[in-house]
Amino acid sequence: MNGDGTIPSRGFPTSARAPGKCVLFGEHAVVHGAPELVLAIDLYTQAIVAPSSESRLNGDRGALETNRYLRETVAALGPSPGTFDVRTVSRIPRSAGLGSSAAFVGAVSAALAAGAGGIDRGALAQRCFSVERAAQGVGSPGDTSTSVAGGYVTLNAGSVGGEPLWTVRAGEAAWEVRRTEDPGWAWIVAYSGIPRSTADAVRAVAARLERPDGPALLEEFANVARAGISAVTRGDRTEVGQLMRRNQELLRDVGVSHPRLEALIEAAQPAAEGAKLTGAGCGGSIVALPLPGREVELVRRLARAGAVPYPVRSSPGVSLVEAAPAPRS
Ligand code: PMV
């Protein structure tokens, strides 16, 4: 699944594509040290990068000033990074909880790093997290490490979380990243159409966890995530569905659900083992595990309930692609 190994050296123009993600268990609690399971999904951002006399993103000459993700990505190259023409195309909806910013940072960073002599995948994961953190201010390395590694990725899970990949750091904090068994399942993610701010949701949950019952709640998040990782690894769909429902109750308790998300989860129920919000919540998307053979029905139910459904599977991590003709901006 392409999670180890390096991004090789390649002459400019370079092109790379990086997957989005959906969180299966443990969002929010991961920020406070609990385990998380994240799936790299087969919706991608592709970037094509070449040195240029001026900086441009999809034709926009002002993007280096206005786009924090681009600015930090280029700055991460070193003290005199140079100027680049960057073009991107993406199928990942923005502000939907599906990792569009991590995929942008992963694809552009890998393409730039290939042109600068290549990079080890663990170093790329660290770079992408530092970029996202600098641009966004809060959060865990779940999105960026999953986009770099591909497959089913765990954080903070210890040996239940699979084979160690790398450790990502920010100041004193460190997150151990591993990859676990891929059960080969199809999932349905569905975007509610309601954009939200990850940073605001993360701060609201942090305040909620400071109340007296906070530590017990966090422990329950951790137990559900650990059991969820183990059930996915064993391929136990029924157990995974039950644990998704339990995880959703906890997310509701800490205040990050939304009436539209609850309506979508309800609509999914007859055709799903389980469903929950995915990512920061307060809008964004849900993820559902279909009952075997009921995938099409599940997609129809979610579309009828007003969401944009995407059937997804596990994807390999960020990779170079043959330099394709530049997309028109
Ligand atoms: O909704 P997203 O894609 O921004 O995911 C956020 C996941 C959180 O656990 C809420 C924050 C984080 O960085 O882990």
Side-chain angles (χ1 to χ4, degrees), residues 21-23 26-32 36 38 69 95-102 129 132-133 136 138-144 155 175 196-199 201-202 205 251 256 277-281 283-285:
K21 69 94 206 350
C22 79
V23 181
E27 54 271 270
H28 285 292
V30 66
V31 177
H32 306 277
E36 183 183 49
V38 194
Y69 292 96
S95 296
L98 300 178
S100 65
S101 59
F129 175 55
E132 203 182 53
R133 184 104 162 178
Q136 195 170 280
V138 292
S140 79
D143 290 23
T144 42
L155 271 76
W175 291 263
R196 81 291 172 273
S197 154
T198 299
V202 167
V205 171
L251 289 162
V256 293
L277 70 82
T278 182
S285 302

Side-chain angles (χ1 to χ4, degrees), residues 112-193:
L112 286 170
I119 190 167
D120 169 74
R121 218 168 262 272
L124 181 62
Q126 177 67 58
R127 180 181 293 181
C128 291
F129 175 55
S130 303
V131 165
E132 203 182 53
R133 184 104 162 178
Q136 195 170 280
V138 292
S140 79
D143 290 23
T144 42
S145 270
T146 302
S147 189
V148 170
Y152 285 74
V153 171
T154 64
L155 271 76
N156 304 334
S159 58
V160 77
E163 294 299 313
L165 286 171
W166 48 68
T167 298
V168 176
R169 294 172 202 284
E172 299 285 285
W175 291 263
E176 191 200 32
V177 182
R178 296 177 177 241
R179 190 170 40 234
T180 191
E181 296 279 314
D182 180 345
W185 295 343
W187 302 79
I188 312 296
V189 296
Y191 177 40
S192 67

Side-chain angles (χ1 to χ4, degrees), residues 100-317:
S100 65
S101 59
F104 173 87
V105 171
V108 176
S109 297
L112 286 170
I119 190 167
D120 169 74
R121 218 168 262 272
L124 181 62
Q126 177 67 58
R127 180 181 293 181
C128 291
F129 175 55
S130 303
V131 165
E132 203 182 53
R133 184 104 162 178
Q136 195 170 280
V138 292
S140 79
D143 290 23
T144 42
S145 270
T146 302
S147 189
V148 170
Y152 285 74
V153 171
T154 64
L155 271 76
N156 304 334
S159 58
V160 77
E163 294 299 313
L165 286 171
W166 48 68
T167 298
V168 176
R169 294 172 202 284
E172 299 285 285
W175 291 263
E176 191 200 32
V177 182
R178 296 177 177 241
R179 190 170 40 234
T180 191
E181 296 279 314
D182 180 345
W185 295 343
W187 302 79
I188 312 296
V189 296
Y191 177 40
S192 67
I194 301 167
R196 81 291 172 273
S197 154
T198 299
D200 290 350
V202 167
R203 280 190 268 271
V205 171
R208 172 67 186 86
L209 291 176
E210 268 166 29
R211 289 203 222 150
D213 63 342
L217 209 46
L218 188 58
E219 189 50 35
E220 184 59 8
F221 268 104
N223 289 338
V224 169
R226 232 175 267 116
I229 292 166
S230 148
V232 168
T233 310
R234 291 195 314 275
D236 186 339
R237 300 175 71 96
T238 310
E239 175 82 2
V240 169
Q242 274 164 15
L243 289 161
M244 289 172 82
R245 282 196 283 275
R246 180 69 191 123
N247 200 158
Q248 175 62 20
E249 285 168 13
L250 294 169
L251 289 162
R252 200 182 297 136
D253 268 14
V254 297
V256 293
S257 195
H258 184 285
R260 286 292 306 140
L261 299 179
E262 294 296 331
L264 294 180
I265 289 167
E266 173 105 21
Q269 218 51 63
E273 306 275 9
K276 61 181 271 297
L277 70 82
T278 182
C282 305
S285 302
I286 68 152
V287 58
L289 179 62
L291 285 167
R294 310 273 291 274
E295 293 81 1
V296 174
E297 180 192 342
L298 181 53
V299 167
R300 280 211 194 101
R301 286 180 162 279
L302 289 165
R304 237 184 276 130
V308 185
Y310 300 86
V312 297
R313 284 181 183 278
S314 160
S315 159

